[in-house]
Each structure stands twice: as structure tokens, then as C-alpha cells.
RNA sequence: UGUCCCAUGGUGUAAUUGGCAACACGUCUGUUUUUGGUACAGAAGAGUUCAGGUUCGAGACCUGAUGGGACAACCA
């Protein structure tokens, strides 16, 4: 059945390429993929798209997928990021078995390849300064000029490259460049830098090296070393492909399997910023609590916010793979979570902004134990007991002194049902000097008890509630979008930080939930009736449970009256 | 005044490889419901950027234009 699904699904353009390669018995019909993050930040939803693509392909074709850390720039990378990446990929539900690789594992191989290129007369040591390099490189519309060091002898180049490695030169004073074509219309072919001198402590190789390969000289070769067949990356690397192929041309033997780079469009989400560099700014400048702040589009942020791995995988499946630049509506991501959580999240009752509802004709000391269904979507989730008594909290905005006709909730003389309990009729309300409502009064009809009603009363409104005597006090954090512009990064006159939504976090610390929630654990998901999906925050303690609102439930009345 | 890539409802992705455009989200309407959730039913919304060409027939192929994107880090 699973297979049928795949059969019927139309293939994206990458799968079509793969199918064709398979038909032609390219690489002997072998397939091998990889996901190559740089450990310089936390993974975000955009990476999730790439992860689901490559690992998904691995699952589909029952073949290997490597996790490779592209760690060639030690000054930005750290072990913290490595660990977070592993955790997040695993959490998403993917497995790289023992194929955890690092580009830094290949530093020696890469060095030898550099030597080989020099010997072939395809690389040279250059001593130009960054400014001089920029100048002689030309522009996209004007050709560049050859470096004065371009025609050094092989011997001299070999000697200098060795000395670079041995630490005989200052940082930035020399570099190894490929000898290609300074007049190429592709800027990346204008004698690109292969190695630079940089004395920085590497999180894996420590101080073993003072020269580090550049991306272009490391990535394709790493793919080649790992015998990757299809190297998937985002569109901005399209112009790098000729260089990717050129380097492999230099090292691959005739007839040897070689990787093929295929580019796809990166994910853009409305109201969301997706640049690691900018996310780092938000973290460092304290606009959010950290990489896993629930407002962040990081995997860890989404997880803390209550998103499930399945929902993210489904989302990735839904948005598809293509080469067109896109901006996906966050509503689609939210739909994915709601869809998943609707099936698995237990329904519970809680009141975020409470006001007392006093049932005047209910006995003072009586407590009734009502049985409520945990999830109408899934009977196997059973039911639970919720205590009911004379005084309950209801949502402050579930009562209006002068309600309009379309308002189905409580107002003077109006009737509603208290979820799982009785139909009540509002008989009055109390106010303090400031005009604030302090309590709402009502009378209940004993014959309307849920499940065993002897009288049928039709009401339009059903309110959630928590018994005052039995409720547990908790803290609730509601998150709104971090940016109040659909494209915070798309303005020339303003920076993305000008669009930060100052009300993106709202804390309610006077909230009450039903007693069944006494022993919740971080990452537990719930649907609070009528309010939305909530997730227990990792910082919760026994005495202070914190709920993050994952995503609100649709509420037509409030929507129309905004 | 360069090279490369892209162009399908509001958004994203399809279209069995040339047979008059489908699916999902969103929007709207209705039904059911002890969640204004869910489920179900239905509606509106593109004639495929434009102009030529090939063809009995083009969203698909060709040419040109237009629009958008990428490329000038000792970043990846």
C-alpha cells in the first residue's frame, strides 16, 4: 500500500533525473545521497526541506544517505552546532547509521589533491591581498586579469604550498588558487581560491592545520570521496556547478563514478526569516531567548513550540521540489501541525484569562466527577474524570454584557452548555468600581447533564471551564509571528529587524487547567478545547507548568470581529 | 550591459512526456457535531508572462521579447 502511494505520486524533477540515470545504468545503478550542513548554527525549517528530500530519497530507493558536516571554516563552527544538528535530524525521524562524516576528515586527502593540481599545472600559490584580488578579478560584465604569480614553476608552487601548510606564512598572506580562466563569464571560474591560511582552532582537528580548503575545493571532492551519486543543494550553487565539475575532472580517473550536483529552490516562508546569519543576530542581540525560542523557525524552536516531526515531514512533502523561487504561506505549515495534532493530541480544558462563573443554584460543597472523552477522533484514547463544582472559571471573553446576535456565548439571560456538564442560564454579573467584571452568575438545569440528560435543550454555545476549587494554576505563553511583515527581508529601505513584532510573546500567568494535567512532561501536546494546541515547555517544573501555544484553533467569531 | 537559472488560480506543486489544466493550502457557503475544532458537501478563483513559429493539435518543442532570481567573501 505504501508502495502504491509512491507509484501514483508524480515524480519531482530530481526523481525524474534519478530515474533516467537508473535507466542508463549510470554509476552501475548505484544511488548514494548526503546531507551536508555546516555546523555554524542550528538547523531550521529550510534545512528540514533538504533533509526530507535527501533522506526521503534514501528511504524511497532504499539506499544510503550520509550526514556530512561541512566544517571547513573553523572560525564559525562549533561542537554545540554539531550536536544540535545530529539531534534535530534524528528527531525528524532520519537515520544515517554509522555514516557520520566530516569534511575535516578529508583534510589530508584534500591537501594531496591540491598537490596533484599543482603538479598538473592547474594550481598556483598567489600572494595578492584581498583588495588586489577583488580588483584583478573583474566584474560579472568585465573580464579579470591574470595574477602576477600565475606562472610560477611547479617546483616553486609545491614548495610554497608545503610552507603554507607548515605555518611559515602569516594568515592571509598566501593562498592556493586554481588556474582556470580569468576571462570566464562565470566569476567562479576566475582562478578561484582553493586554500587559505587561517590560524583558527578547529572543533575537530584542533590546531593540526593552519590552512583550510574553501567550499568549492572541498565539497565536490568530499562527494567524490564518499561516492555520492546525486549531490542535492540549493539554487545559489548553480553557478558553482561548472567549478564543481572542473575540480572533479582533475581528480577523477577515466570511468570512475562521479557525483552529480542538482540544485533545487530553497524554502522561503512568509513572515519568516530563513538566513542562519540573521537568526544568529536575533539570538545574539536578545530579540529571542535562544536558538530554540518557540518563535524561531529552527527545528528546535518548532519542536519546543509543539510541532511534531511528522507534521514537518508532511509539510516538506506538500511543498514539493522545484527550481522556481517560492514563498510559502506559513498557513500551510500551521495546517500541517493542526492536521497531525488533531489526530494525536488529547483534548483538555483550561482557561487562559479567567473570570468566575458562580452557579447560584448548585449545592455549595458538592463535587461531581464528570467523564470526558479524551479525543473524539480516536476512541482508543479513552476518557478521564474532570471535577465540577459550584464555582468554575470561564474565559473572560466568553461573556459579554451586551452581546451581539451572532455571539453564541454567555450574556445576560443567555444559555450555554458547560462542556461535559450542564446547560446554564446567565442571571447576572458583578462589577467592581472600575467597571471590570468580577463574577458572572448563573443557574444550572440539573436535567441537562451531559450523557444522561432527561431534557433536550438546544444551545449554540459550549464553553470550556475549570473548577475553581480543583483547577491547577499554570503559565501560558502565546506566540504570534515574530515579524509583522510577510517579507521582512524584502525591503531596501529597512532591515528585517525593523519588522520585529513587539507583541510576538504574550505571557499569561494566571491560568487554570483541569487537575488531570498535574503530571505532564515537556513536549506533551494537548488541544485545549476551543483555544488551540499547546505544548508543555521544557522549562516546566512540578510547581510551575508552562504551556506554549503551538497554534490557535480557528475561531470564526473572533476572526470576524477583529 | 556579461553568464546561468526560472515563469501555471491568492500561495505552493502537478499535468501519464504534444490531446483544451489537477491536487493541497487559503477564501466563501451549507450540513453534522456537547470544541465557532474535526468531519462531510459545495462554490468562487488560472486558460498556463507576451509575440511569433513547428503541428490536425502546444502549458509542454523552437525563436525572440518581457519579468524575476543567482553570480564579483581568503563564507558555505
Amino acid at each position: 500500500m505504501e508502495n502504491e502511494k509512491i507509484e501514483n505520486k508524480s515524480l519531482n524533477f530530481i526523481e525524474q533525473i534519478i530515474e533516467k540515470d537508473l535507466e542508463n545504468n549510470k554509476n552501475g545503478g548505484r544511488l548514494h545521497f548526503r546531507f551536508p550542513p555546516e555546523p555554524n548554527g542550528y538547523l531550521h525549517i529550510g534545512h528540514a526541506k533538504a533533509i526530507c528530500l535527501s533522506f526521503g530519497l534514501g528511504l524511497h530507493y532504499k539506499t544510503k544517505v550520509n550526514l556530512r558536516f561541512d566544517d571547513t571554516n573553523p572560525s564559525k563552527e562549533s561542537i554545540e552546532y554539531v550536536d544540535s544538528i545530529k539531534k534535530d535530524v534524528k528527531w525528524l525521524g532520519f537515520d544515517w547509521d554509522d555514516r557520520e562524516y566530516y569534511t575535516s576528515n578529508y583534510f589530508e586527502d584534500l591537501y594531496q589533491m591540491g598537490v596533484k593540481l599543482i603538479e598538473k599545472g592547474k594550481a598556483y600559490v598567489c600572494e595578492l591581498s584581498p583588495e588586489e584580488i577583488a580588483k584583478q578579478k573583474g566584474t560579472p560584465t568585465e573580464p579579470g586579469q591574470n595574477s602576477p604569480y600565475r606562472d610560477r614553476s611547479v617546483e616553486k608552487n609545491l614548495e610554497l604550498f608545503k610552507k603554507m601548510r607548515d605555518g611559515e606564512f602569516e594568515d592571509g598572506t598566501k593562498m592556493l588558487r586554481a588556474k582556470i580562466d580569468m576571462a570566464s563569464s562565470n566569476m567562479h571560474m576566475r582562478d578561484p581560491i582553493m586554500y587559505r591560511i587561517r590560524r583558527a582552532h578547529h572543533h575537530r582537528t584542533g590546531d593540526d592545520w593552519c590552512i583550510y580548503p574553501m567550499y568549492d575545493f572541498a565539497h565536490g571532492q568530499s562527494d567524490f570521496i564518499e561516492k555520492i551519486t546525486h549531490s542535492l543543494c540549493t539554487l545559489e550553487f548553480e553557478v558553482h556547478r561548472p567549478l564543481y565539475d572542473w575540480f572533479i575532472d582533475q581528480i577523477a580517473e577515466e570511468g570512475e563514478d562521479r557525483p552529480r550536483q542538482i540544485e533545487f529552490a530553497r524554502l522561503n516562508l512568509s513572515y519568516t526569516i530563513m538566513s542562519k546569519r540573521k537568526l544568529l543576530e536575533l539570538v545574539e542581540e536578545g530579540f529571542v531567548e535562544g536558538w530554540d525560542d518557540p518563535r524561531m523557525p529552527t527545528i528546535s524552536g518548532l519542536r519546543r513550540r509543539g510541532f511534531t516531526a511528522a507534521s514537518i515531514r508532511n509539510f516538506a512533502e506538500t511543498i514539493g521540489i522545484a527550481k522556481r523561487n517560492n514563498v510559502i504561506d506559513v498557513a500551510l505549515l500551521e495546517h500541517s501541525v493542526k492536521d497531525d495534532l488533531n489526530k494525536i493530541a488529547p483534548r483538555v480544558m483550561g482557561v487562559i484569562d479567567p473570570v468566575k462563573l458562580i452557579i447560584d443554584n448548585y449545592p455549595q460543597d458538592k463535587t461531581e466527577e464528570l467523564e470526558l472523552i479524551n479525543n473524539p477522533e480516536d476512541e482508543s484514547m479513552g476518557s478521564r474524570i474532570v471535577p465540577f463544582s459550584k464555582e468554575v472559571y470561564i474565559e473572560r471573553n466568553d461573556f459579554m454584557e451586551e452581546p451581539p446576535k451572532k455571539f453564541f456565548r454567555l450574556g445576560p439571560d443567555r444559555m450555554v452548555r458547560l462542556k461535559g456538564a450542564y446547560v446554564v442560564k446567565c442571571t447576572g454579573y458583578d462589577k467592581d468600581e472600575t467597571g471590570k467584571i468580577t463574577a458572572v452568575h448563573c443557574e444550572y438545569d440539573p436535567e441537562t447533564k451531559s450523557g444522561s440528560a432527561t431534557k433536550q435543550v438546544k444551545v449554540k454555545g459550549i464553553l470550556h471551564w475549570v473548577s475553581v476549587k480543583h483547577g491547577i494554576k499554570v503559565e501560558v505563553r502565546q506566540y504570534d509571528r515574530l515579524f509583522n511583515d510577510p517579507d521582512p527581508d524584502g525591503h531596501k529601505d529597512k532591515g528585517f529587524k525593523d519588522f520585529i513584532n513587539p507583541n510576538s510573546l504574550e505571557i499569561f500567568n494566571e491560568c487554570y487547567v483541569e487537575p488531570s494535567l498535574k503530571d505532564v512532561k515537556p513536549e506533551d501536546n494537548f488541544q485545549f478545547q476551543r483555544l488551540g494546541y499547546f505544548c508543555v515547555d521544557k522549562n516546566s517544573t512540578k510547581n510551575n507548568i508552562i504551556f506554549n501555544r503551538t497554534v490557535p484553533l480557528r475561531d470564526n467569531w473572533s476572526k470576524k470581529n477583529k
Side-chain angles (χ1 to χ4, degrees), chain A residues 188-226:
Chain A
H188 295 278
M189 299 299 273
R190 322 243 265 226
D191 289 11
I193 297 168
M194 295 162 61
Y195 265 97
R196 75 284 211 184
I197 305 173
R198 171 108 104 225
R199 265 160 264 253
H201 188 83
H202 189 282
H203 61 98
R204 298 207 98 221
T205 60
D207 300 311
D208 292 352
W209 294 84
C210 65
I211 57 171
Y212 291 96
M214 299 287 290
Y215 166 85
D216 285 306
F217 190 62
H219 201 97
Q221 280 83 329
S222 302
D223 285 341
F224 180 76
I225 291 169
E226 295 178 12

Side-chain angles (χ1 to χ4, degrees), chain A residues 312-356:
Chain A
I312 294 177
R313 277 186 258 120
N314 290 341
F315 172 71
E317 185 63 38
T318 310
I319 59 176
I321 299 293
K323 294 189 79 164
R324 183 179 5 170
N325 298 314
N326 59 75
V327 182
I328 284 155
D329 195 334
V330 277
L332 189 52
L333 178 60
E334 286 170 0
H335 170 263
S336 302
V337 218
K338 283 194 261 188
D339 196 41
D340 188 35
L341 255 21
N342 177 51
K343 296 175 207 139
I344 61 170
R347 275 59 279 231
V348 293
M349 291 201 291
V351 175
I352 288 177
D353 184 14
V355 67
K356 261 186 203 175

Side-chain angles (χ1 to χ4, degrees), chain A residues 495-545:
Chain A
F496 72 100
K497 279 181 265 182
D498 291 322
F499 297 100
I500 289 179
N501 174 9
N503 305 314
S504 60
L505 168 61
E506 208 175 342
I507 298 178
F508 298 84
N509 40 31
E510 184 73 31
C511 312
Y512 296 91
V513 300
E514 56 176 75
S516 68
L517 295 178
K518 191 162 54 102
D519 294 315
V520 293
K521 290 186 297 297
E523 288 189 35
D524 281 353
N525 288 301
F526 296 99
Q527 186 198 91
F528 278 58
Q529 305 269 356
R530 286 195 39 237
L531 294 177
Y533 292 101
F534 289 75
C535 176
V536 181
D537 189 75
K538 64 168 191 180
N539 290 336
S540 292
T541 62
K542 227 185 163 73
N543 298 322
N544 184 30
I545 302 171

Side-chain angles (χ1 to χ4, degrees), chain A residues 353-381:
Chain A
D353 184 14
V355 67
K356 261 186 203 175
L357 176 72
I358 301 166
I359 307 160
D360 290 316
N361 62 340
Y362 195 87
Q364 186 65 247
D365 300 318
K366 188 173 173 183
T367 293
E368 276 185 88
E369 299 203 321
L370 306 173
E371 187 176 3
L372 273 83
I373 300 291
N374 285 333
N375 188 347
E377 307 293 318
D378 182 358
E379 273 189 37
S380 72
M381 289 176 73

Side-chain angles (χ1 to χ4, degrees), chain A residues 183-348:
Chain A
S184 170
S185 54
N186 184 337
M187 295 295 287
H188 295 278
M189 299 299 273
R190 322 243 265 226
D191 289 11
I193 297 168
M194 295 162 61
Y195 265 97
R196 75 284 211 184
I197 305 173
R198 171 108 104 225
R199 265 160 264 253
H201 188 83
H202 189 282
H203 61 98
R204 298 207 98 221
T205 60
D207 300 311
D208 292 352
W209 294 84
C210 65
I211 57 171
Y212 291 96
M214 299 287 290
Y215 166 85
D216 285 306
F217 190 62
H219 201 97
Q221 280 83 329
S222 302
D223 285 341
F224 180 76
I225 291 169
E226 295 178 12
K227 297 205 179 307
I228 301 303
T229 57
H230 299 262
S231 179
L232 314 181
C233 63
T234 46
L235 244 29
E236 64 268 30
F237 293 102
E238 215 157 20
V239 280
H240 291 247
R241 185 162 16 105
L243 182 55
Y244 179 100
D245 290 335
W246 190 90
F247 277 131
I248 289 172
D249 282 343
Q250 307 309 314
I251 57 167
E253 303 294 332
E254 186 67 30
E256 224 175 339
D257 286 0
R258 15 154 83 229
R260 169 178 188 173
Q261 173 177 308
I262 304 168
E263 311 85 11
F264 61 93
R266 70 183 316 138
L267 167 69
N268 295 298
L269 264 187
S270 60
Y271 295 96
T272 311
I273 204 127
M274 210 72 90
S275 145
K276 260 199 246 180
R277 205 202 83 224
K278 285 169 185 156
L279 293 176
L280 178 64
E281 269 183 63
L282 292 175
V283 172
E284 285 184 334
E285 293 169 27
F287 289 103
V288 293
E289 285 175 24
W291 283 100
D292 68 346
D293 186 292
R295 289 164 293 181
M296 291 283 271
T298 50
I299 308 290
S300 50
L302 295 173
R303 175 171 60 230
R304 187 170 165 197
R305 166 106 165 260
F307 280 60
T308 57
S311 70
I312 294 177
R313 277 186 258 120
N314 290 341
F315 172 71
E317 185 63 38
T318 310
I319 59 176
I321 299 293
K323 294 189 79 164
R324 183 179 5 170
N325 298 314
N326 59 75
V327 182
I328 284 155
D329 195 334
V330 277
L332 189 52
L333 178 60
E334 286 170 0
H335 170 263
S336 302
V337 218
K338 283 194 261 188
D339 196 41
D340 188 35
L341 255 21
N342 177 51
K343 296 175 207 139
I344 61 170
R347 275 59 279 231
V348 293

